[in-house]
Amino acid sequence: MDEHRRALLKLVAGLAPAAIFAASLDAYAEGDGGQDALEAAGLDPYVVYRKMFLSTLPGAGYCWWYLGATTTHIDGIGDVVTGQVETVMPFLSRDEGPGRVKNIWREIGCFRDIATGELAKPWVNPVTGKPEPRAPSFEDGPATYTVAKSAGGVDIDLVQTHASVQKVIAAFSVAGDRICLTQTEDKIRGVDTAAPNPIQTVLKIYASLADVRDPARNTVAASGFYRAASTRPGGFGVTGLMQKAAWDEKLNPIGWDRMKAAYPSFFKGDRIDPSWD
């Protein structure tokens, strides 16, 4: 386990999920999405995005792991952790010509009971006194982020199953040797249901500025924080750590085994490698 991951785990041990997210926030340039900060550092936002999120190489594949907790907003308390969650999103990069790349992704995950650590089962909601279903696992995708170089830095188009995407915005900031990519996604999930749910997802990804600047590197180590939550009052959310990893890197061995048991088609031998068609 490297020093950066140790620092993240220490932070998670000492803070509630809402505080984790708040502690990760930093100011970034308004209007130009931090493009001025990158250009001042001699960097191209499109290249930076590709190195941090996946790779500048066509056909490259990586995973993003999301390790966190589900939350429910309770009046008088705030966001309360009600469960644990681990998800993994394998990505595959496909170039679509100069200055344009399509990052295809799929996602699987498992929800765990906060008391037992076992796969989630129905629970009695203290507010209503009634049992509520909880899924033990889920699958999403395939979906795509199409990233294009633009005068404003990068334009991102997200196409996602069972979601109406309203906008995706990427912004950058630089502080010392750390560079931060903040990606904000506004969407409506469950568009084919009677009660569609407005969701905002925020990803804050950090990497070494020196590594990003290195022309010999096509990818860099990156990790950070995430939060996805309903924008309705009292809505459900999920928040925690996120980390980039190779397809055969088991950041959470227990979660790996549970997800492999639930979704064997996502794995080939001892690595994640789902079908992309």
Side-chain angles (χ1 to χ4, degrees):
M1 181 181 293
D2 59 32
E3 291 300 320
H4 186 54
R5 196 181 306 171
R6 285 195 187 96
L8 288 174
L9 292 176
K10 286 179 181 178
L11 179 61
V12 121
L15 296 176
I20 294 169
F21 183 68
S24 74
L25 296 178
D26 61 303
Y28 60 85
E30 296 289 347
D32 70 349
Q35 183 178 357
D36 288 349
L38 293 189
E39 290 179 349
L43 296 170
D44 179 342
Y46 177 71
V47 174
V48 171
Y49 185 96
R50 291 194 63 175
K51 281 189 175 185
M52 290 182 68
F53 209 89
L54 286 181
S55 169
T56 58
L57 291 180
Y62 287 90
C63 288
W64 274 99
W65 283 76
Y66 298 85
L67 308 168
T70 55
T71 65
T72 300
H73 189 85
I74 303 298
D75 289 343
I77 296 181
D79 290 341
V80 176
V81 173
T82 56
Q84 297 169 303
V85 60
E86 56 251 349
T87 71
V88 63
M89 292 176 67
F91 280 82
L92 183 66
S93 173
R94 288 181 177 168
D95 277 17
E96 294 198 324
R100 185 179 174 90
V101 64
K102 181 174 286 187
N103 295 327
I104 308 167
W105 59 267
R106 300 189 66 179
E107 182 178 19
I108 53 175
C110 288
F111 295 103
R112 290 182 287 133
D113 184 272
I114 192 172
T116 67
E118 299 300 323
L119 290 176
K121 296 179 181 179
W123 74 311
V124 176
N125 186 329
V127 176
T128 64
K130 298 178 181 179
E132 294 183 2
R134 291 194 298 181
S137 60
F138 74 94
E139 177 182 358
D140 198 2
T144 59
Y145 290 108
T146 300
V147 184
K149 184 180 177 68
S150 71
V154 291
D155 291 334
I156 304 173
D157 178 46
L158 169 61
V159 177
Q160 185 175 354
T161 308
H162 305 303
S164 174
V165 181
Q166 298 168 307
K167 64 180 178 179
V168 181
I169 297 174
F172 300 90
S173 63
V174 177
D177 182 53
R178 304 302 290 171
I179 184 167
C180 176
L181 162 62
T182 301
Q183 182 161 304
T184 304
E185 306 170 7
D186 290 316
K187 66 191 77 171
I188 298 175
R189 295 301 306 266
V191 293
D192 54 353
T193 69
N197 192 16
I199 299 287
Q200 183 175 80
T201 299
V202 180
L203 313 176
K204 291 190 75 70
I205 301 169
Y206 298 82
S208 162
L209 178 60
D211 288 350
V212 172
R213 272 179 163 161
D214 186 348
R217 293 177 182 265
N218 55 67
T219 189
V220 296
S223 58
F225 307 88
Y226 76 101
R227 180 177 175 85
S230 171
T231 57
R232 289 175 176 165
F236 170 90
V238 59
T239 186
L241 305 179
M242 58 184 297
Q243 184 159 329
K244 185 168 141 185
W247 283 359
D248 60 354
E249 189 174 355
K250 299 181 182 181
L251 294 189
N252 183 331
I254 295 176
W256 177 286
D257 290 343
R258 287 175 170 172
M259 287 185 278
K260 188 173 184 179
Y263 302 102
S265 64
F266 265 71
F267 296 79
K268 291 182 175 63
D270 211 26
R271 69 197 304 261
I272 295 173
D273 190 3
S275 169
W276 298 102
D277 299 322

